[in-house]
Amino acid sequence: YGQVITAALNDFVMTTFGGMQASGGGWLSSLTSMVGGIFLTTDDTQPVVRGQRQSGTEEGMLLGLFAAAHLNRNFMTTLAHSSAASAPPSPPATLPPRQSPPNLAQIQALNNDQPTNLLVTFFQYCSIVMADTRTETSINKCSLCFITLTCIVEEQFANSIMHDQNLTFKVQLYRLPMRHRKIVPEEPPSQPLASTLIDLLIEFIMCHLLKKFPGDLYSLCVGVLLRLLSYQKRCRVRLSRDWRPLWAALIALLKFLVTNESVLLRKHNIFIMAQQVVNIFNLFITFGDTFLPTPASYDQLYYELIRMYLVFDNLFFMALRYSTGDGEFKAEALRLANCLVNVRAIVQHFSPKIDAWLASQHLSTPTEDQILEVVRKNYDSLILKLQEGLEGYERYNEKTHKALLSKLVRVAASYARARSDAATLTQHSAALLDHYTALA
C-alpha cells in the first residue's frame, strides 16, 4: 500500500522536476500502472502540464494516504521506513512501464546511495501542490496535504523519526519562481525531515501573501508548525537549523495582515490567525531555551523582534482599535492585544538601552553583533509574563473537514470509474500471475 502511494507521488514529482530522460521503468512503476484505476495520477496518452491536470487525477491517491495516516497509527512505520533509491529487477516486457524523468533528488540519491522514504516523497509532492492556489481544485488538494501533515505531526513516532539527528535526507523541494528571487539549482542540505518540513512551511507562507488570500490554508499551515514546535518543547528536542527564515516569514505574514486589514476582514477573521502567529513567537520567547539549538539562536530571536518592532506596534494598535469598539471582532482583537504583552515588553526594555549605548559610542548604524552584545548584557533586568498552554492544540477531527473530504471522495470515485478499463486490468493481472508463477 505504501509502495503504491510512493510510486504515484513519485510519478507526479518526477514530471514536475523533469527535463531529463528516463533510464527505464521498474517493477514498482509497472505495479502503479496496473492499479491506476484506484490511485492513478495522470493519463499516459497525454502530456502532463503542471497546473492543467484534470480534476480527479491525484485526489484518490491523496485520500488513500490521508486515511492511512489518520486512521492507522501503524502506518507511521511505513511513512518512516527507509529504503535504497534503487529498485528490484523489472518484470517481463509484457507490463508496459510508466516512463517518467527522474527528479533531481532521486538522481542524487542514486549517485550518493542516499536512502529515501514515503515522507521524503510526500514533502516533495507537497512543495509542488502548495505552489498553486489559483483554482478550487488546487486549493482542495493543498488543503488535504496540510490535513495529512497535521495527522503526521500529531503522532509521537513520526515526530521522533523526523527529529532524529542521525537520520538525515537530501530533499529537493520545489520553489516557486518569483520576481524578487532567482531559483538557482543547488544540492539540498542533508538534514532531519523536521527541518525540511519547516522549510516547506516557510516557502508556503512567503509565496501566497496575495489579495486573494487563502486564509484557511494559512490556518492549517500555522497549525502544522505549532504541533511541530510543541513536540520539540515537550521532548526538549534541539533541532540544529537557522531559525531566522521562519521568524522572518511569520513577521512578513503579520505585516501583510496589518497592511491589508480592510480587504482581508471582509472574508477572514485575521485576528485569530494573528494570535496564532504571535503565540508561536511567545512559545519561542517563553520556552525557546529548551529547544533552540544554542544560546545564540535565542539572542537572534530577540534581535529580530527588536529590529521589526514596527510590525508588532502596528499589530497592537490595530487590535486596540478594534477591541475598544463594538464591532464583531472585539473579543478576538482583545485577545490578540493581550498576547502581545511579552513582545512589547522586549521591545520597550531593550530599545532605550540600545539607544543609550549608541549615544555613548557616537554611532548611528550599529552592526548586528553590536546589538546582540547589548541584548546579552541586559537580559537580567527584563521582566516577562509567564504564559502557559502555548503549545496546546486540539487533535485533528475529520468532522472539521467533512464537506471537503466528501467532495474529494466523489471526485476521485468519478475519475476512477471513467478511467477503469476492465480488459487492461485483466491483461495486467494475468501477466503478473504468469511472471510470478514462472519464478515459483
Side-chain angles (χ1 to χ4, degrees), residues 366-417:
T367 65
E368 178 179 340
D369 290 336
Q370 290 172 329
I371 298 297
L372 288 173
E373 185 62 28
V374 176
V375 169
R376 293 187 192 101
K377 290 180 178 179
N378 290 278
Y379 274 134
D380 292 342
S381 54
L382 175 63
I383 299 176
L384 295 175
K385 179 181 178 181
L386 180 61
Q387 296 178 313
E388 298 290 347
L390 295 172
E391 73 277 17
Y393 58 84
E394 293 184 9
R395 287 187 65 86
Y396 175 74
N397 188 332
E398 66 181 74
K399 292 181 180 178
T400 308
H401 298 96
K402 183 177 180 180
L404 171 65
L405 295 173
S406 299
K407 182 176 182 179
L408 290 173
V409 167
R410 287 193 296 270
V411 171
S414 175
Y415 183 76
R417 291 191 191 99

Side-chain angles (χ1 to χ4, degrees), residues 353-366 370 374 377:
K353 298 185 183 303
I354 293 172
D355 293 339
W357 184 86
L358 291 176
S360 66
Q361 300 295 317
H362 305 289
L363 292 174
S364 58
T365 55
Q370 290 172 329
V374 176
K377 290 180 178 179

Side-chain angles (χ1 to χ4, degrees), residues 64-86:
L65 178 57
F66 159 73
H70 177 47
L71 301 174
N72 189 345
R73 296 184 64 184
N74 294 327
F75 190 72
M76 295 300 162
T77 306
T78 301
L79 278 176
H81 176 70
S82 297
S83 61
S86 56

Side-chain angles (χ1 to χ4, degrees), residues 44-80:
D44 294 336
T45 61
Q46 296 181 356
V48 177
V49 180
R50 185 161 34 85
Q52 298 180 7
R53 289 179 172 80
Q54 182 180 350
S55 178
T57 56
E58 297 145 43
E59 284 81 350
M61 176 269 300
L62 282 177
L63 285 166
L65 178 57
F66 159 73
H70 177 47
L71 301 174
N72 189 345
R73 296 184 64 184
N74 294 327
F75 190 72
M76 295 300 162
T77 306
T78 301
L79 278 176

Side-chain angles (χ1 to χ4, degrees), residues 205 213 218-219 221-223 225-226 229 246-255 257 270-285 301 305 311-312 315 336 339-340 343 390:
I205 291 172
F213 184 64
Y218 270 85
S219 294
C221 176
V222 174
L225 178 60
L226 174 62
L229 295 176
L246 174 62
W247 299 330
L250 294 175
I251 292 173
L253 173 56
L254 291 177
K255 183 178 180 180
L257 296 178
I270 62 175
F271 296 102
I272 294 178
M273 181 174 298
Q275 184 182 351
Q276 290 176 318
V277 175
V278 172
N279 278 338
I280 286 178
F281 277 110
N282 286 330
L283 187 62
F284 278 107
I285 293 168
L301 168 65
L305 294 176
V311 174
F312 295 99
L315 182 65
L336 174 59
C339 75
L340 281 163
V343 176
L390 295 172

Side-chain angles (χ1 to χ4, degrees), residues 107-386:
I107 290 177
Q108 291 167 343
L110 287 171
N111 292 339
N112 303 325
D113 197 24
Q114 173 78 10
T116 186
N117 63 21
L118 179 50
L119 273 178
V120 170
T121 309
F122 183 52
F123 287 172
Q124 288 184 300
Y125 173 83
C126 288
S127 70
I128 299 167
V129 171
M130 292 176 184
D132 178 18
T133 60
R134 293 171 297 178
T135 65
E136 182 183 358
T137 299
S138 58
I139 289 176
N140 289 341
K141 288 189 292 186
C142 190
S143 297
L144 189 51
C145 285
F146 274 125
I147 292 170
T148 305
L149 288 173
T150 300
C151 296
I152 291 171
V153 296
E154 286 183 355
E155 287 296 330
Q156 181 83 5
F157 179 76
N159 269 316
S160 65
I161 291 295
M162 289 193 294
H163 288 86
D164 190 341
Q165 300 285 349
N166 298 316
L167 191 61
T168 60
F169 298 86
K170 294 180 179 179
V171 185
Q172 183 73 45
L173 298 177
Y174 177 77
R175 300 185 70 205
L176 189 66
M178 303 179 74
R179 284 179 293 180
H180 68 276
R181 71 179 183 189
K182 293 183 178 180
I183 304 300
V184 180
E186 57 183 10
E187 184 175 338
S190 181
Q191 59 186 5
L193 288 177
S195 194
T196 300
L197 178 54
I198 291 173
D199 291 339
L200 176 66
L201 300 179
I202 292 171
E203 184 69 12
F204 177 82
I205 291 172
M206 294 299 294
C207 291
H208 299 286
L209 299 176
L210 310 168
K211 291 292 179 67
K212 191 178 179 181
F213 184 64
D216 293 338
L217 295 181
Y218 270 85
S219 294
L220 290 169
C221 176
V222 174
V224 173
L225 178 60
L226 174 62
R227 287 161 173 77
L228 205 63
L229 295 176
S230 296
Y231 172 82
Q232 295 174 19
K233 182 261 180 182
R234 185 173 63 252
C235 298
R236 294 179 175 268
V237 176
R238 299 185 184 273
L239 195 62
S240 297
R241 63 164 289 123
D242 184 2
W243 288 93
R244 287 173 294 184
L246 174 62
W247 299 330
L250 294 175
I251 292 173
L253 173 56
L254 291 177
K255 183 178 180 180
F256 175 82
L257 296 178
V258 174
T259 304
N260 299 278
E261 147 207 353
S262 58
V263 175
L264 296 177
L265 278 174
R266 298 171 189 168
K267 294 184 178 180
H268 309 283
N269 189 336
I270 62 175
F271 296 102
I272 294 178
M273 181 174 298
Q275 184 182 351
Q276 290 176 318
V277 175
V278 172
N279 278 338
I280 286 178
F281 277 110
N282 286 330
L283 187 62
F284 278 107
I285 293 168
T286 309
F287 303 107
D289 58 327
T290 65
F291 63 87
L292 287 175
T294 62
S297 299
Y298 198 72
D299 300 337
Q300 289 168 352
L301 168 65
Y302 277 60
Y303 175 81
E304 291 300 321
L305 294 176
I306 296 167
R307 186 174 70 89
M308 302 301 293
Y309 74 94
L310 275 177
V311 174
F312 295 99
D313 279 354
N314 292 337
L315 182 65
F316 174 76
F317 291 125
M318 181 188 77
L320 196 63
R321 189 170 70 251
Y322 280 88
S323 65
T324 55
D326 295 323
E328 60 177 308
F329 303 112
K330 180 177 181 178
E332 294 90 345
L334 183 59
R335 286 195 291 269
L336 174 59
N338 290 335
C339 75
L340 281 163
V341 59
N342 278 345
V343 176
R344 288 177 54 78
I346 290 171
V347 173
Q348 292 171 359
H349 174 76
F350 286 104
S351 294
K353 298 185 183 303
I354 293 172
D355 293 339
W357 184 86
L358 291 176
S360 66
Q361 300 295 317
H362 305 289
L363 292 174
S364 58
T365 55
T367 65
E368 178 179 340
D369 290 336
Q370 290 172 329
I371 298 297
L372 288 173
E373 185 62 28
V374 176
V375 169
R376 293 187 192 101
K377 290 180 178 179
N378 290 278
Y379 274 134
D380 292 342
S381 54
L382 175 63
I383 299 176
L384 295 175
K385 179 181 178 181
L386 180 61

